[in-house]
Amino acid sequence: MAPARGAGADLLVTVEDLRKAGIALEFLSGPITGLYAPGDRHGQGAVLFGVLAALSGAERTYTREKTLEGQESARKRGRTGGRPPSLDAGQIEYALALRAKGTPMKEIQQKTFIARGKHKGKNPSLPTLYRTLAEAAAQDTDA
């Protein structure tokens, strides 16, 4: 696996690849029209790509900060995000009771149904059922 690099390092690698391929950036309209060669280390092309790299990094940081602020705000309002649980509390209790009686998981799967979402009315998968029952059992031991 390659070591982690920032946006600036990625851009420098891309610039070098473009330079080797003889590709240049051309602005057809706007205040900086013209042809800019990315590998020109001392000219306008190098400056332009450096500015674009800096803006890219700043925009990424700003977007990340706003995303984290939004998530924190949602948590304060009691919203956690993510997919809703496949089984509601009643279905979980029913499945736990069946499991306590020694009912096989395949049979429990056939007797339980997803309460909401796009799979509403279908049986949960066995991994979902195992995970849900393990989480419910862990909550019971914590309480």
Side-chain angles (χ1 to χ4, degrees):
M1 181 149 59
R5 298 188 309 234
D10 288 339
L11 184 64
L12 293 176
V13 170
T14 302
V15 165
E16 185 60 25
D17 291 343
L18 293 173
R19 187 191 62 74
K20 285 179 183 175
I23 297 171
L25 179 63
E26 183 175 8
F27 289 95
L28 301 176
S29 63
I32 54 172
T33 58
L35 188 64
Y36 298 91
D40 180 11
R41 298 195 188 280
H42 302 292
Q44 293 176 334
V47 172
L48 178 64
F49 276 83
V51 168
L52 291 175
L55 290 174
S56 167
E59 183 178 1
R60 182 175 298 147
T61 300
Y62 177 77
T63 301
R64 178 75 178 141
E65 288 172 357
K66 289 299 176 185
T67 300
L68 292 174
E69 286 176 17
Q71 290 172 346
E72 181 63 29
S73 173
R75 268 192 294 277
K76 287 179 181 176
R77 293 187 315 245
R79 298 177 180 231
T80 56
R83 181 182 289 178
S86 296
L87 301 175
D88 62 17
Q91 289 279 335
I92 294 171
E93 282 183 41
Y94 178 64
L96 286 170
L98 290 174
R99 189 70 176 150
K101 291 180 183 177
T103 307
M105 287 299 273
K106 187 72 175 164
E107 193 175 320
I108 296 172
Q109 177 195 24
Q110 293 168 352
K111 291 182 177 185
T112 54
F113 297 93
I114 296 174
R116 58 185 153 239
K118 70 179 183 179
H119 298 292
K120 181 178 180 178
K122 296 181 181 178
N123 301 106
S125 68
L126 283 174
T128 296
L129 199 53
Y130 275 110
R131 184 181 62 251
T132 302
L133 295 183
E135 289 170 358
Q139 285 179 349
D140 286 346
T141 59
D142 290 342

